[in-house]
């Protein structure tokens, strides 16, 4: 169905891979290949898949052990990229720094697959200020941009000149996009163009800034996942998340095509 709808791949965690494959690694890989689908893997350093009631207050060392194990397992599935849910928001700056210093060393053990850390609530990179600090401290730190989380955490549109300056400095570090429109009170909206036209335009501008930066860096690929989830991300069980996701994918294909037509560039 994903192939039929025009998706290029899937983004999923180890838990979901095991569920989808019925613990048969080769079946999973063969099914992806048969339907011409790439894999973006998700690695969690704690709180896997955000199962309610499963969050744990872990040490930096425990997070790193989890990351080492998940990276080792995920690379077996030949992902084109790995998205990492990293750390936890209640650490000190020193703890965040220790984590990323050592996490980057773990990532370097797998030079054939790129990996990036997501800007997500509850994680180390839960707001733009601490994210800017970390990329300044670690210039080779790469990011997954899920800016919908920052709107909620900061409770503002992040369109103040000081906010935009932070974003301009953060965007060159982005390798992967989560294209979901949220507002200052909700992680995702039901209809981006109708329910949140201001936020939709703002976030589209940021995503195109990422595309501009990727072109400037000479990258040959930028990945984007239209990430809309069921309740509680959706406001109710009545939201047709599947249709919403497909619409966002189709909208981003059109937006990317329009953007690339304005550029003298052939990725």
């Amino acid at each position: 169905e994903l192939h039929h709808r025009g998706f290029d791949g899937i983004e999923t965690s180890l838990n979901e891979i095991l569920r989808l494959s019925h613990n048969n690694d080769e079946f999973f890989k063969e099914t992806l290949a048969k339907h011409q689908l790439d894999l973006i893997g998700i690695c969690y350093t704690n709180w896997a898949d955000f199962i309610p009631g499963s969050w744990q207050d872990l040490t930096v060392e425990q997070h790193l052990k989890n990351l080492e194990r998940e990276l080792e397992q995920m690379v077996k599935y030949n992902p084109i990229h790995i998205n990492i849910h990293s750390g936890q928001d209640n650490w000190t700056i020193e703890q965040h720094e220790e984590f990323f210093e050592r996490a980057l060393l773990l990532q370097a053990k797998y030079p054939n697959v790129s990996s990036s850390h997501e800007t997500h609530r509850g994680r180390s990179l839960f707001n733009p200020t601490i994210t800017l600090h970390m990329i300044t401290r670690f210039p080779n730190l790469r990011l997954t941009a899920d800016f919908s989380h920052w709107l909620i955490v900061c409770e503002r549109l992040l369109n103040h000149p000081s906010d935009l300056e932070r974003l301009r400095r953060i965007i060159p570090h982005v390798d992967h996009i989560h294209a979901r429109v949220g507002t200052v009170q909700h992680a995702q909206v039901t209809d981006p163009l109708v329910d949140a036209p201001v936020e939709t335009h703002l976030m589209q501008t940021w995503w195109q800034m990422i595309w501009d930066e990727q072109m400037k860096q000479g990258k040959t690929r930028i990945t984007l996942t239209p990430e809309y989830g069921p309740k509680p991300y959706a406001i109710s069980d009545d939201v047709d998340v599947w249709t919403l996701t497909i619409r966002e994918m189709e909208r981003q294909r059109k937006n990317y095509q329009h953007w690339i037509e304005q550029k003298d560039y052939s990725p």
Side-chain angles (χ1 to χ4, degrees), residues 102-117:
R102 296 172 62 186
L104 288 168
L105 294 176
L106 292 176
Q107 292 168 254
K109 293 169 65 175
Y110 305 99
N112 294 327
V113 58
S114 57
S115 54
S116 56
H117 298 263

Side-chain angles (χ1 to χ4, degrees), residues 161-198:
S162 61
D163 294 319
L164 293 174
E165 177 57 28
R166 289 189 191 92
L167 282 167
R168 278 192 289 269
R169 295 173 63 186
I170 288 168
I171 278 173
H173 290 258
V174 172
D175 280 345
H176 179 44
I177 298 171
H178 279 185
R180 177 179 58 220
V181 176
T183 71
V184 297
Q185 297 298 337
H186 299 284
Q188 82 183 31
V189 295
T190 303
D191 188 328
L193 296 176
V194 174
D195 300 338
V198 173

Side-chain angles (χ1 to χ4, degrees), residues 233-247:
Y233 273 97
I235 60 174
S236 75
D237 290 326
D238 296 328
V239 176
D240 185 350
V241 176
W242 177 237
T243 298
L244 180 59
T245 302
I246 293 169
R247 285 178 181 170

